[in-house]
Amino acid sequence: MATTANPVGARRRNPALPWALGTYAVLIVLAGVAWTVSDLRMSGMDAGPGSPLGTFGFFITTWVVMMAAMMFPSVAPMVSMYVNIQRGRRRRAMAVSAGASACFVAGYLLVWSAAGMLAYLGFRAGARLGGSSISWAHGGRWIAVAILLLAAGYELTPLKQACLGRCRSPLSFVLSSWRSGRLGALKMGARHGAWCLGCCWALMAALFALGVMSLAWMTVIGVLIAVEKLLPWRRIGVLTTIAVLLALAAGVAFAPAHLPGLALPGDHPMMMSG
């Protein structure tokens, strides 16, 4: 009797895989473009901790591009999951709004844009209130150390772990937060951006402590964020981040001149912006 069977070792093709790979590819390409633009905009601006931020318009546009460069690789699984859910809805003849995926990403960037605005205002307020007392030669160095230690300590808090858990669970987030339409996608992206902000704000503070206008430190912090969100072993990712932050704090405290990539500022207010 004739039988039909799949050849040994044959595997059923996953129809979602090409779309997932395509989503990853688009975000990685956009991140690459953002890294290039960041390099061009920030060239020669790294003055170390307390680097001048420039005008508000310059900083906020640079900040958004920086967030795209640093965050798009680690947010790719979430966006890919959203795209996949939308494809499933389309196959079931359900309404799917054109451009919803772009709105999801836009909502995510809006939250980080708002965070950048607050960071800029806080930076300027610190410059006005602290003056020369927070210059590198006075308290600035120890402010940088304190921020790095704060970032390391935050890694162990329940809030950090809750936010990181949300960022590492794309399917759970998308299903529990689903909203239809472009406005719904924008709200979903903003909600995910809020969880991401809760997860990564301390690491961004560490970036300011090391030199926010430094492409090298952007790379270090971006890699730490990706390790925490993408590494299969969550505990190892967190412990790696803590170890790096503690090492950087020790370097700034005891041997800043020998810390690779750290530009030592002159005797200007640590939080002074141009």
Side-chain angles (χ1 to χ4, degrees):
M1 182 174 64
T3 59
T4 58
N6 289 331
V8 176
R11 295 182 181 272
R12 188 175 179 181
R13 184 183 177 189
N14 181 2
L17 182 59
W19 286 90
L21 293 176
T23 302
Y24 275 73
V26 169
L27 289 171
I28 294 299
V29 168
L30 289 175
V33 172
W35 278 107
T36 302
V37 174
S38 296
D39 187 26
L40 293 173
R41 290 180 68 85
M42 293 159 48
S43 179
M45 294 189 64
D46 179 20
S51 295
L53 301 185
T55 64
F56 177 78
F58 172 84
F59 173 77
I60 201 63
T61 54
T62 303
W63 175 264
V64 173
V65 175
M66 286 171 57
M67 292 304 99
M70 296 173 67
M71 296 301 201
F72 276 7
S74 61
V75 82
M78 188 68 69
V79 178
S80 177
M81 182 60 66
Y82 179 83
V83 171
N84 193 37
I85 296 294
Q86 289 284 50
R87 288 186 62 251
R89 289 168 59 86
R90 189 177 289 111
R91 286 197 305 269
R92 294 191 297 273
M94 300 174 69
V96 175
S97 300
S101 298
C103 290
F104 183 94
V105 176
Y108 177 84
L109 286 177
L110 278 175
V111 170
W112 277 108
S113 299
M117 293 178 190
L118 291 176
Y120 183 88
L121 294 175
F123 203 89
R124 295 302 295 260
R128 286 181 177 275
L129 295 175
S132 61
S133 66
I134 55 175
S135 66
W136 181 257
H138 294 89
R141 177 177 174 183
W142 304 108
I143 291 174
V145 172
I147 292 172
L148 291 167
L149 292 176
L150 171 67
Y154 182 68
E155 292 290 317
L156 299 174
T157 64
L159 179 58
K160 165 72 181 194
Q161 295 306 310
C163 293
L164 180 58
R166 290 281 185 161
C167 292
R168 289 176 59 92
S169 305
L171 180 59
S172 175
F173 172 81
V174 172
L175 293 180
S176 64
S177 306
W178 186 262
R179 300 288 186 277
S180 298
R182 284 182 288 270
L183 181 59
L186 189 72
K187 291 179 178 178
M188 285 181 67
R191 185 172 182 181
H192 176 55
W195 284 112
C196 185
L197 178 61
C199 178
C200 301
W201 70 267
L203 287 170
M204 290 303 168
L207 177 61
F208 276 83
L210 295 166
V212 71
M213 293 299 170
S214 167
L215 202 69
W217 293 119
M218 272 181 61
T219 303
V220 171
I221 298 301
V223 168
L224 291 178
I225 290 170
V227 164
E228 285 194 341
K229 291 187 177 183
L230 302 179
L231 199 69
W233 310 282
R234 172 172 168 169
R235 185 179 180 85
I236 293 177
V238 170
L239 291 176
T240 298
T241 298
I242 293 173
V244 171
L245 290 171
L246 290 177
L248 290 173
V252 173
F254 302 113
H258 300 288
L259 187 60
L262 183 68
L264 296 183
D267 191 21
H268 60 77
M270 182 181 173
M271 294 188 178
M272 183 70 70
S273 62

